[in-house]
Amino acid sequence: MEHISGIEARERIINASRQLFSQKGYDATRVNDIAKAANVNKALIYYYFKSKEDILDFMVNSLLDNAVSLTLDFIQKNIVHLIENGYLDIRPDRLHFANGEAVNQFMQNALKFNEQLLDYVIENREIIRILMLESLKSGKHRKSLFRLMDYLSGSEKNPIYKTISDVDRDFVFSDEMVLFEFFFSILPIVNFAAYYDEYKAAGSLSDQELRDSFLRVTQVICASMISGSDILLRNNSIKL
Amino acid sequence: MEHISGIEARERIINASRQLFSQKGYDATRVNDIAKAANVNKALIYYYFKSKEDILDFMVNSLLDNAVSLTLDFIQKNIVHLIENGYLDIRPDRLHFANGEAVNQFMQNALKFNEQLLDYVIENREIIRILMLESLKSGKHRKSLFRLMDYLSGSEKNPIYKTISDVDRDFVFSDEMVLFEFFFSILPIVNFAAYYDEYKAAGSLSDQELRDSFLRVTQVICASMISGSDILLRNNSIKL
Amino acid sequence: MEHISGIEARERIINASRQLFSQKGYDATRVNDIAKAANVNKALIYYYFKSKEDILDFMVNSLLDNAVSLTLDFIQKNIVHLIENGYLDIRPDRLHFANGEAVNQFMQNALKFNEQLLDYVIENREIIRILMLESLKSGKHRKSLFRLMDYLSGSEKNPIYKTISDVDRDFVFSDEMVLFEFFFSILPIVNFAAYYDEYKAAGSLSDQELRDSFLRVTQVICASMISGSDILLRNNSIKL
Amino acid sequence: MEHISGIEARERIINASRQLFSQKGYDATRVNDIAKAANVNKALIYYYFKSKEDILDFMVNSLLDNAVSLTLDFIQKNIVHLIENGYLDIRPDRLHFANGEAVNQFMQNALKFNEQLLDYVIENREIIRILMLESLKSGKHRKSLFRLMDYLSGSEKNPIYKTISDVDRDFVFSDEMVLFEFFFSILPIVNFAAYYDEYKAAGSLSDQELRDSFLRVTQVICASMISGSDILLRNNSIKL
DNA sequence: AATGAATGAGTATTCATTCAT
DNA sequence: AATGAATGAATACTCATTCAT
């Protein structure tokens, strides 16, 4: 078997694995099939990776690393700046902005971030699917998805927390805010990516419409966290 | 092997399967392990079920049937009644209520329904997990989760649509509303159930607190669909 | 595949394994070959044994157990009796007998024991071969052969030592005696069994002649341990 | 990978192979492991050796050649001289010496030879181990160890026989003597070397003590072949 | 002399399923 | 209804060897 194109064998193995893991799940994917799809000798897979699981680990880790750096970048460029200048105060229940101007700027930047994030997850939806699949099982990657949630918690090890904490000493994540963020922000995005193709096949929206619709709702959710919105969390107008 | 308790062998097989499928995923679960966990002879599994897949099918189908009848019941008892009496008009972007009284009644009933639904999915979270797991793969059950979305679409075959349509001839589901409902209502609940144990292990909330927090947010999302809320969908204040 | 004869499948697997391990060594024996030789389905081997190594373990352990019980039996019936009646005193360098009569009786019994032992090892020479093979490697059975040597050492756990010690309080194995016994008694017998077929093929002796010749030499070695023989161990006529 | 020391790659390959073959056996040794242990590229092994087996052959052959020349040297310098001068007559059952002086000289020289031989085999115990390991299998080297026995047989091709035969026309090896020599002289030495490390780990003797003990017993065995010893072979005092 | 990449044929082990009783 | 034994087809992984440079 020759170097068919410039894409190196190792690269082809990763691509084929991603596609197959994403389609059939890790367990149902056969190393044989990866070899065929990647057009390499089966043994070569073991030349580059210690085991089938090693391929999975590699992919999961790269994804998480990327997602986190994307988020950190946003916070660094936006939240930090607003807090430093006194335009934003993060309280347990809401984000409090100094004025409408600050709100507008935040919402605009949030939109940009969400657009960027959405594009990233849609592009990487195969790995996201794998990540979800594995996080639902009891194996090694059960907690992988929850690593994302860790970035919503207040630990010194959490770079996101630390970044905000450095400029806002009083800052604290409330449990309910974390839950809200996780189940109504992170997971919807992850789900959106994971079920993107399914959803598109089922619905009538185009790529662009689908993306925009989702973004709009994302902004709604985002807005609901801002003080002044009549949608409130705990101890507020809505009683259980 | 004797009848250790009154629980029949078939029942034990189903329980063991549910637990194992939920933990390790269908593919990674071995018929051998099911036999051991159910404390039955491996061959007996094939006496009760045609194949390993047959066990999965059985469980997925019973869950979906239950979830749908639960929802239909809610709609029958609430939505239908409100529409018939002219208190509610479902429009593409929002739910329009005749007065505050109607809103209050709706929100109260929605809360009851969500409580009921939440309890149901938490109790059946193992099967939900399996359902998610399988819906992420390309196999037979890939579309199982999307069957739920079908109940948000306007098809004569959809009993929910039909039920509402019977009392509101103009009624139509807008694409964006379906998307909103699916990604920000159904999927969060499904995810909540699927990740319930993981989330509890990671966070600090008790069963009750966790459930209440989630319900509160659920109400927020629900409220955002009601006209008068300042959170609006398409063609509204939030521009992309 | 049917029950071809009365010999059960498990038995056939063991026999085939013994033969193949003995011929080619454990590592060079293929589970496939065992299956063919035993005329069973390859998977059936894993029904009866956890792994290829498990078969080896089973065989090595049965052999050692048998050999030890054979030896214990001899000591119980002979040595113990002689010591109790004051006919034999085991000293660090030699066996001291009360009179020629005792020597004769001992030598006769030793001959019987050696005959029995020789027949046993020749019959089980395949496993002995395996045992030697494995004891030369660094794996799990490296020390298996040395378990035999343990029966020449003075430990309360050693049933042979204990048996003799019970009737002769002063009794002690000298290091040199153990070495002598091990390298010039046990190992020659083990080697004899292991190389039996090779030796026969190379030499001109019949089964009977070969066996008798070896026995005669065995007796010589045995006799050399008796006081009065002019062949002496440490601190004796032969100086280095 | 660079030339780490002056030891050439080929040398390092041989050393690594010897060690690994000796530890794990030929079959269980991987070419990969040899490459790592020798700190050379795997392909380089095939530059120096035709195949894995080729490495084994090389080592086995060098050992045997050395051992034989060592023995021939001893016979040339001692036995031949004694026979020529009429001091020694080799008969089927025993070595007959003309007088005590001749016996003493022989025993002294035998001791020297045994010391030399012992040092040689201990130093080369890794290869000896390999030789034993392979001689127990059915492969190409099954007969390697028996090549040593060939030097005890009366064939014109046997340089040892020829050397003695040249000075003692009546000389003949009796079958029983060959058996005695092989199982109670050659094999114990070979075994001693093969199990040297194991034995040392198990026992309490130092290198020096262990070597001396073994030598002493060797002399005992040697002495038992001399006429006048009361330990006799066939047709003698010990009857079966 | 040296090496990173590649490969065909295996190798132990597993697994869902079936059979005979 | 229940079971111990049996099986064909895989399955992940290995290994000695070769190739191209």
Side-chain angles (χ1 to χ4, degrees):
Chain A
M1 223 163 276
E2 308 167 20
H3 283 231
I4 279 154
S5 75
I7 311 173
E8 294 299 332
R10 201 186 115 100
E11 212 67 29
R12 292 206 304 277
I13 292 168
I14 292 171
N15 290 338
S17 299
R18 185 177 45 237
Q19 211 175 348
L20 288 168
F21 287 169
S22 162
Q23 270 167 32
K24 311 149 77 97
Y26 171 81
D27 293 302
T29 297
R30 308 297 157 213
V31 176
N32 242 332
D33 296 341
I34 297 176
K36 268 176 208 155
N39 197 29
V40 299
N41 183 291
K42 193 177 17 168
L44 193 62
I45 293 177
Y46 290 91
Y47 179 76
Y48 286 112
F49 296 92
K50 224 188 73 193
S51 65
K52 182 178 147 187
E53 200 179 355
D54 200 33
I55 307 177
L56 178 64
D57 293 350
F58 172 83
M59 292 191 315
V60 168
N61 289 330
S62 350
L63 178 87
L64 287 180
D65 291 348
N66 279 337
V68 168
S69 73
L70 207 68
T71 305
L72 264 183
D73 194 56
F74 166 74
I75 292 184
Q76 204 67 262
K77 285 187 184 144
N78 294 282
I79 308 287
V80 165
H81 180 258
L82 287 168
I83 294 175
E84 276 178 342
N85 295 20
Y87 289 121
L88 167 61
D89 182 20
I90 300 178
R91 301 201 198 142
D93 60 334
R94 291 294 172 94
L95 307 176
H96 288 255
F97 288 92
N99 51 43
E101 181 58 23
V103 169
N104 279 343
Q105 205 198 320
F106 172 78
M107 286 302 288
Q108 267 174 40
N109 288 338
L111 179 60
K112 266 183 213 151
F113 170 64
N114 279 327
E115 277 182 305
Q116 217 183 108
L117 189 61
L118 205 59
D119 289 342
Y120 178 74
V121 296
I122 290 176
E123 199 185 324
N124 291 281
R125 61 188 183 278
E126 285 183 338
I127 310 185
I128 299 251
R129 216 181 180 114
I130 299 169
L131 190 68
M132 276 198 70
L133 229 14
E134 292 309 309
S135 75
L136 284 165
K137 290 189 221 156
S138 62
K140 173 199 277 182
H141 292 288
R142 191 194 36 162
K143 293 192 144 193
S144 291
L145 196 58
F146 276 76
R147 266 203 254 169
L148 292 176
M149 201 183 76
D150 289 344
Y151 291 104
L152 300 170
S153 74
S155 152
E156 276 302 321
K157 287 190 171 181
N158 175 356
I160 291 178
Y161 172 79
K162 203 167 176 315
T163 303
I164 301 178
S165 186
D166 281 350
V167 292
D168 180 356
R169 286 284 147 211
D170 302 333
F171 166 70
V172 66
F173 286 121
S174 74
D175 280 344
E176 189 151 333
M177 206 168 199
V178 170
L179 179 138
F180 180 80
E181 269 290 310
F182 187 64
F183 283 107
F184 293 88
S185 182
I186 293 183
L187 280 191
I189 290 174
V190 168
N191 275 273
F192 182 70
Y195 292 115
Y196 186 78
D197 294 317
E198 247 64 43
Y199 190 85
K200 253 184 56 190
S204 59
L205 300 170
S206 71
D207 274 28
Q208 192 60 37
E209 286 171 330
L210 185 51
R211 183 175 168 281
D212 286 351
S213 285
F214 193 86
L215 271 177
R216 219 172 290 123
V217 183
T218 294
Q219 290 299 93
V220 171
I221 297 294
C222 202
S224 77
M225 296 177 69
I226 298 170
S227 175
S229 155
D230 68 349
I231 294 178
L232 302 168
L233 291 177
R234 187 161 10 198
N235 303 325
N236 293 346
S237 58
I238 294 171
K239 305 290 179 205
L240 288 185
Chain B
M1 224 164 277
E2 307 167 20
H3 282 233
I4 278 153
S5 74
I7 312 173
E8 292 300 331
R10 201 186 116 100
E11 210 68 26
R12 291 207 304 278
I13 292 168
I14 292 171
N15 289 338
S17 300
R18 183 178 46 239
Q19 212 176 348
L20 289 167
F21 288 169
S22 163
Q23 271 167 31
K24 311 148 75 97
Y26 170 80
D27 292 305
T29 297
R30 308 298 159 214
V31 175
N32 237 334
D33 296 340
I34 297 176
K36 266 177 207 154
N39 198 27
V40 299
N41 183 288
K42 191 172 29 163
L44 191 64
I45 293 176
Y46 288 88
Y47 179 79
Y48 286 115
F49 296 92
K50 221 186 74 195
S51 66
K52 182 180 151 187
E53 201 179 356
D54 200 31
I55 307 177
L56 177 64
D57 293 350
F58 172 82
M59 292 191 315
V60 168
N61 289 330
S62 5
L63 179 89
L64 287 179
D65 291 349
N66 279 336
V68 169
S69 73
L70 206 68
T71 305
L72 264 183
D73 193 56
F74 167 74
I75 292 185
Q76 204 65 262
K77 285 186 185 148
N78 294 283
I79 309 287
V80 166
H81 180 257
L82 286 168
I83 294 176
E84 275 178 345
N85 293 21
Y87 289 120
L88 167 60
D89 182 20
I90 301 178
R91 302 201 198 142
D93 61 334
R94 291 294 173 92
L95 305 176
H96 288 255
F97 288 92
N99 51 44
E101 180 60 23
V103 169
N104 279 343
Q105 205 198 319
F106 171 79
M107 286 302 287
Q108 268 175 40
N109 289 339
L111 179 59
K112 267 184 213 150
F113 171 65
N114 278 329
E115 278 182 305
Q116 219 182 110
L117 188 62
L118 205 58
D119 290 341
Y120 178 75
V121 297
I122 290 176
E123 198 186 323
N124 291 281
R125 62 188 182 277
E126 284 183 339
I127 311 185
I128 300 249
R129 218 179 177 116
I130 299 169
L131 190 69
M132 276 197 70
L133 232 12
E134 293 309 309
S135 75
L136 285 164
K137 290 187 219 157
S138 62
K140 173 200 277 184
H141 292 287
R142 188 194 37 163
K143 294 192 143 191
S144 291
L145 196 59
F146 277 76
R147 268 204 252 168
L148 292 176
M149 201 183 76
D150 290 344
Y151 292 104
L152 299 171
S153 74
S155 152
E156 277 301 321
K157 286 189 171 182
N158 175 356
I160 292 177
Y161 173 78
K162 201 165 178 317
T163 302
I164 302 177
S165 188
D166 281 350
V167 290
D168 181 356
R169 286 283 144 211
D170 300 334
F171 167 70
V172 66
F173 285 121
S174 75
D175 280 343
E176 189 151 331
M177 205 169 203
V178 169
L179 178 136
F180 180 81
E181 268 292 310
F182 187 63
F183 282 107
F184 292 88
S185 182
I186 293 182
L187 281 190
I189 289 174
V190 167
N191 275 275
F192 183 69
Y195 292 114
Y196 185 77
D197 294 316
E198 245 65 43
Y199 191 86
K200 255 185 56 191
S204 59
L205 299 171
S206 70
D207 274 30
Q208 191 61 37
E209 287 171 330
L210 185 51
R211 183 175 167 281
D212 286 351
S213 284
F214 194 86
L215 272 177
R216 219 171 290 125
V217 184
T218 295
Q219 290 299 95
V220 169
I221 298 294
C222 202
S224 76
M225 297 177 68
I226 298 170
S227 176
S229 152
D230 69 349
I231 294 179
L232 301 169
L233 292 177
R234 180 149 32 182
N235 303 323
N236 293 346
S237 58
I238 295 170
K239 306 291 180 204
L240 289 185
Chain C
M1 225 164 276
E2 308 166 20
H3 284 230
I4 279 155
S5 75
I7 312 171
E8 294 299 333
R10 202 186 115 99
E11 211 67 28
R12 292 207 304 278
I13 292 168
I14 292 171
N15 290 337
S17 300
R18 183 177 46 238
Q19 212 176 347
L20 289 167
F21 287 170
S22 163
Q23 271 168 33
K24 311 147 77 97
Y26 170 80
D27 292 303
T29 297
R30 308 296 158 214
V31 176
N32 242 331
D33 296 340
I34 297 177
K36 268 176 207 154
N39 197 28
V40 299
N41 183 291
K42 191 173 24 164
L44 193 63
I45 293 177
Y46 290 89
Y47 180 76
Y48 286 113
F49 296 93
K50 224 186 73 193
S51 66
K52 182 178 149 189
E53 200 179 356
D54 199 33
I55 307 177
L56 177 64
D57 293 350
F58 172 81
M59 293 192 314
V60 168
N61 288 330
S62 349
L63 179 88
L64 286 180
D65 291 348
N66 278 338
V68 168
S69 73
L70 207 67
T71 306
L72 264 183
D73 194 56
F74 167 74
I75 293 185
Q76 204 66 261
K77 285 189 184 143
N78 294 284
I79 308 288
V80 164
H81 180 257
L82 287 168
I83 294 175
E84 274 178 343
N85 295 21
Y87 290 120
L88 167 61
D89 183 21
I90 301 178
R91 302 202 198 141
D93 62 333
R94 290 294 171 92
L95 305 176
H96 287 256
F97 288 93
N99 51 44
E101 180 60 23
V103 169
N104 280 343
Q105 206 198 315
F106 172 79
M107 286 301 287
Q108 269 174 38
N109 289 338
L111 179 59
K112 268 184 213 150
F113 171 64
N114 278 326
E115 279 182 303
Q116 218 183 109
L117 189 61
L118 205 59
D119 290 342
Y120 178 75
V121 297
I122 291 176
E123 199 186 323
N124 292 280
R125 62 188 182 278
E126 285 183 338
I127 311 184
I128 300 251
R129 216 183 181 112
I130 299 169
L131 189 68
M132 276 198 70
L133 230 12
E134 292 309 309
S135 74
L136 285 165
K137 290 187 222 155
S138 61
K140 173 200 279 183
H141 292 288
R142 191 194 35 163
K143 294 192 145 193
S144 291
L145 196 58
F146 277 75
R147 266 204 254 168
L148 292 177
M149 201 184 76
D150 289 343
Y151 291 103
L152 299 171
S153 74
S155 152
E156 277 301 322
K157 286 190 172 181
N158 175 356
I160 292 178
Y161 172 78
K162 205 169 175 313
T163 302
I164 302 177
S165 187
D166 280 349
V167 291
D168 181 356
R169 288 280 147 212
D170 301 334
F171 167 70
V172 66
F173 287 120
S174 74
D175 280 345
E176 189 151 333
M177 205 170 201
V178 169
L179 179 136
F180 180 81
E181 270 289 310
F182 187 64
F183 282 108
F184 292 88
S185 183
I186 293 182
L187 280 191
I189 290 175
V190 167
N191 275 274
F192 183 69
Y195 292 115
Y196 186 78
D197 295 317
E198 246 64 45
Y199 191 85
K200 254 184 55 190
S204 59
L205 297 171
S206 72
D207 273 28
Q208 192 60 37
E209 286 171 329
L210 184 52
R211 183 176 168 279
D212 286 352
S213 286
F214 193 86
L215 272 177
R216 219 173 289 123
V217 183
T218 294
Q219 290 299 95
V220 169
I221 297 294
C222 201
S224 76
M225 296 177 69
I226 298 170
S227 176
S229 153
D230 68 349
I231 294 179
L232 302 168
L233 293 177
R234 181 151 28 185
N235 303 323
N236 292 345
S237 58
I238 295 170
K239 306 287 180 207
L240 289 185
Chain D
M1 227 164 277
E2 306 168 21
H3 282 235
I4 279 152
S5 76
I7 312 174
E8 292 300 331
R10 200 185 116 99
E11 209 68 28
R12 291 206 306 276
I13 292 168
I14 292 171
N15 289 338
S17 300
R18 184 178 46 241
Q19 211 176 349
L20 287 168
F21 288 169
S22 163
Q23 272 167 30
K24 311 148 75 97
Y26 171 80
D27 292 304
T29 297
R30 309 295 157 216
V31 175
N32 236 331
D33 296 340
I34 297 176
K36 267 176 208 154
N39 198 28
V40 299
N41 182 288
K42 190 170 33 160
L44 191 63
I45 293 176
Y46 288 88
Y47 179 79
Y48 286 114
F49 296 92
K50 219 186 74 193
S51 66
K52 183 180 150 188
E53 202 178 355
D54 200 32
I55 307 176
L56 178 64
D57 293 350
F58 172 82
M59 292 192 313
V60 168
N61 290 329
S62 7
L63 178 88
L64 287 180
D65 291 349
N66 279 336
V68 168
S69 72
L70 207 67
T71 306
L72 266 181
D73 193 56
F74 167 74
I75 292 186
Q76 203 66 260
K77 285 187 184 147
N78 294 283
I79 308 289
V80 165
H81 180 256
L82 286 168
I83 293 174
E84 276 178 344
N85 295 21
Y87 290 120
L88 167 60
D89 182 19
I90 300 177
R91 302 202 198 141
D93 61 334
R94 291 295 172 93
L95 306 174
H96 287 256
F97 288 93
N99 52 43
E101 180 60 24
V103 168
N104 279 344
Q105 206 199 318
F106 172 79
M107 286 301 288
Q108 269 174 38
N109 288 339
L111 179 59
K112 267 184 213 150
F113 171 64
N114 279 327
E115 279 182 304
Q116 218 182 109
L117 189 61
L118 206 58
D119 290 342
Y120 178 75
V121 295
I122 290 176
E123 199 186 322
N124 291 280
R125 60 188 183 278
E126 285 183 339
I127 311 184
I128 300 250
R129 219 180 177 116
I130 299 169
L131 192 68
M132 277 197 70
L133 231 13
E134 292 310 308
S135 75
L136 285 164
K137 290 186 220 157
S138 62
K140 172 199 277 183
H141 292 287
R142 190 192 36 164
K143 295 191 143 195
S144 291
L145 195 59
F146 278 76
R147 268 203 253 169
L148 292 176
M149 201 183 76
D150 290 345
Y151 293 104
L152 299 171
S153 74
S155 152
E156 277 300 324
K157 287 190 171 180
N158 175 354
I160 292 178
Y161 173 80
K162 202 165 177 318
T163 302
I164 302 177
S165 189
D166 281 350
V167 292
D168 180 355
R169 286 283 147 211
D170 300 333
F171 167 70
V172 66
F173 286 121
S174 75
D175 281 343
E176 189 152 331
M177 206 169 201
V178 169
L179 178 137
F180 181 81
E181 269 290 311
F182 187 63
F183 282 108
F184 292 87
S185 183
I186 294 182
L187 281 191
I189 289 174
V190 167
N191 275 274
F192 183 70
Y195 292 114
Y196 185 78
D197 295 316
E198 246 66 43
Y199 190 86
K200 254 185 55 190
S204 59
L205 300 170
S206 71
D207 274 30
Q208 192 61 36
E209 287 171 328
L210 184 52
R211 184 175 167 281
D212 285 353
S213 285
F214 194 86
L215 273 176
R216 220 173 288 123
V217 184
T218 294
Q219 291 299 94
V220 170
I221 297 294
C222 203
S224 76
M225 297 177 68
I226 298 170
S227 176
S229 153
D230 68 349
I231 295 179
L232 302 167
L233 293 177
R234 185 153 21 187
N235 303 324
N236 293 347
S237 58
I238 294 170
K239 305 290 181 206
L240 289 187

